[in-house]
Amino acid sequence: MTKNDALRACCAVILLVGLSGCDSAREIFGYNKQAPDEFQVYARAPLSLPPDYNLRPPAPGAPRPQEGTPRDQAASAVFGDYAFGGSLGEALGEPQDTTSTGEKAFLQSAGATGIDPSIRQTIDVETAALIEQDQTLIDRLIFWREAGVPGTVVDPAKEQQRLQENSALGLPVTTGETPTIERKKKALLEGIF
């Protein structure tokens, strides 16, 4: 490497270091990040749908489609506005057939037309039973100690004696305090092992 080549390399390095300090050179080399101004960014408008060319103007004197049949009007009065243009079957929760003819043809060619419509309910019942079985295992693992019996236990012999005394004296059955069996409290480490 000659003396001139070394001098040129040093000048290039000094020139690059000097230019990197200038704002205009930093923008040219892409060192300055230009964030968008949040007040000038706008959301794009949603795409518009083409008009429905199958929709024709109603014939003069024909009933308006928004009003629906008298049955739908009665259902709307009873059940409220349950759906826009919905039917009485939808208001009562009846299943609606919303598949198109193309979907029906596809399902028929796939051999999926004889499906039980209550399959979801069947699966939910079976899954709930499995979850219940799994829950008992989980409860045994987490809560491995026997749970105490909730509430108080009535002493039957003393209760019978109290009721006989009230009957002999002519007092109502609710007179007196109901005798209970007091449970022994466990020690600090008694239930662990």
Side-chain angles (χ1 to χ4, degrees):
M1 189 160 148
T2 64
K3 187 176 183 181
N4 285 338
D5 290 338
L7 185 62
R8 285 182 192 155
C10 286
C11 287
V13 169
I14 292 172
L15 182 63
L16 284 175
V17 169
L19 282 177
S20 67
C22 298
D23 284 338
S24 59
R26 290 178 66 84
E27 287 180 22
I28 291 172
F29 292 127
Y31 290 126
N32 282 350
K33 187 174 183 181
Q34 296 292 329
D37 185 11
E38 63 223 27
F39 296 107
Q40 293 183 357
V41 174
Y42 60 93
R44 293 185 179 179
L47 297 174
S48 61
L49 295 173
D52 186 6
Y53 292 110
N54 294 329
L55 185 63
R56 299 287 176 224
R64 297 182 62 173
Q66 295 89 348
E67 293 175 1
T69 63
R71 180 178 175 174
D72 289 341
Q73 290 176 1
S76 177
V78 173
F79 298 112
D81 293 330
Y82 47 85
F84 295 105
S87 66
L88 180 61
E90 290 175 359
L92 298 175
E94 297 173 0
Q96 301 294 314
D97 186 17
T98 58
T99 56
S100 66
T101 55
E103 289 172 329
K104 289 178 184 176
F106 177 73
L107 291 173
Q108 187 174 12
S109 67
T113 54
I115 296 176
D116 183 16
S118 65
I119 189 68
R120 285 271 177 225
Q121 289 80 15
T122 306
I123 290 173
D124 288 343
V125 168
E126 291 172 356
T127 306
L130 292 175
I131 289 173
E132 184 63 32
Q133 289 175 357
D134 289 346
Q135 193 64 34
T136 57
L137 173 67
I138 292 170
D139 285 344
R140 281 189 306 195
L141 291 175
I142 294 175
F143 308 110
W144 46 274
R145 291 187 290 177
E146 291 281 331
V149 180
T152 57
V153 179
V154 176
D155 188 353
K158 291 181 181 178
E159 176 67 7
Q160 182 180 8
Q161 180 183 358
R162 184 187 71 86
L163 291 174
Q164 287 175 348
E165 288 174 359
N166 285 347
S167 176
L169 296 174
L171 298 172
V173 179
T174 56
T175 303
E177 189 173 328
T178 304
T180 59
I181 298 175
E182 297 293 326
R183 291 194 181 100
K184 181 183 104 174
K185 292 189 177 186
K186 290 186 178 183
L188 181 63
L189 300 175
E190 184 177 349
I192 294 179
F193 300 107

